[in-house]
């Protein structure tokens, strides 16, 4: 796929979608630096391409550039406020910075926009746990499991989840 997108870029160097798609392909191969480069080029060509900001944020998050990821997620939201994945990304980054109330706000927005996105429930549960809202956290973890979030389900089977199983 990467070689096909590279050919498309050679034919039309102003094809933001080809850069974006090649960035996705690189990200799936865990070439996050290459993906960031392609997303950045897509943004240079089309500054309103919210999904390029969102996806660049994901790659920055993988590289532990949490400040950069947060800025990209926020930029994606400024272009498209209905991007539930970008709201979820903001929530994750706010939790990384231990700003749990801001994380919960962003994750609430993500869930409001897509109530079936299990990862936002899991991450909101973690943020609630960190502010001492164990019941709220447990409710979110159980909801994430009901929506098929495998990591939460695995955790729920461990001794570390005893506190939640009995709430």
């Amino acid at each position: 796929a990467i070689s096909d997108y590279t050919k498309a870029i050679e034919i039309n160097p102003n094809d933001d979608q080809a850069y974006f798609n090649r960035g996705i392909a690189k990200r799936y191969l865990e070439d996050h630096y290459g993906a960031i480069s392609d997303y950045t080029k897509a943004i240079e060509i089309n500054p309103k391409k919210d999904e390029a900001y969102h996806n660049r944020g994901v790659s920055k998050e993988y590289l532990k550039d949490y400040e950069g990821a947060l800025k990209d997620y926020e930029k994606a939201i400024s272009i498209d406020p209905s991007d539930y994945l970008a709201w979820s990304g903001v929530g994750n980054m706010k939790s990384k910075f231990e700003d749990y109330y801001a994380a919960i706000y962003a994750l609430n927005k993500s869930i409001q926009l897509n109530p079936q996105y299990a990862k936002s429930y899991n991450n909101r549960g973690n943020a609630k746990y960190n502010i001492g809202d164990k019941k709220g956290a447990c409710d979110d973890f159980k909801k994430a499991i009901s929506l098929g979030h495998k990591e939460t389900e695995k955790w729920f089977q461990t001794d570390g989840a005893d506190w939640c199983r009995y709430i």
Side-chain angles (χ1 to χ4, degrees), residues 140-151:
D140 278 349
F141 294 144
K142 289 176 180 177
K143 181 67 175 181
I145 292 167
S146 77
L147 292 171
H149 197 261
K150 298 297 181 202
E151 291 173 29

Side-chain angles (χ1 to χ4, degrees), residues 127-142:
K128 286 180 177 180
Y129 182 84
N130 282 309
I131 63 167
D133 179 6
K134 286 188 175 182
K135 170 134 180 33
C138 189
D139 289 345
D140 278 349
F141 294 144
K142 289 176 180 177

Side-chain angles (χ1 to χ4, degrees), residues 113-133:
L113 292 165
N114 183 353
Q116 301 304 308
Y117 189 55
K119 187 175 180 181
S120 287
Y121 288 97
N122 176 72
N123 294 340
R124 187 175 70 176
N126 286 324
K128 286 180 177 180
Y129 182 84
N130 282 309
I131 63 167
D133 179 6

Side-chain angles (χ1 to χ4, degrees), residues 69-98:
L70 177 60
K71 287 178 185 171
D72 280 346
Y73 293 140
E74 288 174 336
K75 182 64 177 180
I77 290 167
S78 76
I79 296 168
D80 179 8
S82 69
D83 185 343
Y84 72 93
L85 292 170
W87 279 108
S88 184
V90 168
N92 295 342
M93 294 306 93
K94 293 293 186 177
S95 283
K96 293 275 186 201
F97 299 126
E98 299 181 4

Side-chain angles (χ1 to χ4, degrees), residues 40-110:
T40 299
K41 187 64 178 173
I43 290 165
E44 287 172 10
I45 296 167
N46 181 0
K48 297 287 186 192
K49 193 168 195 70
D50 66 292
E51 55 273 299
Y53 286 101
H54 167 94
N55 280 280
R56 188 172 71 176
V58 171
S59 282
K60 288 180 178 180
E61 186 174 346
Y62 275 102
L63 295 173
K64 299 190 181 340
D65 175 8
Y66 301 132
E67 287 283 348
L70 177 60
K71 287 178 185 171
D72 280 346
Y73 293 140
E74 288 174 336
K75 182 64 177 180
I77 290 167
S78 76
I79 296 168
D80 179 8
S82 69
D83 185 343
Y84 72 93
L85 292 170
W87 279 108
S88 184
V90 168
N92 295 342
M93 294 306 93
K94 293 293 186 177
S95 283
K96 293 275 186 201
F97 299 126
E98 299 181 4
D99 187 354
Y100 300 116
Y101 290 97
I104 291 167
Y105 174 83
L107 292 161
N108 285 343
K109 292 290 286 183
S110 176

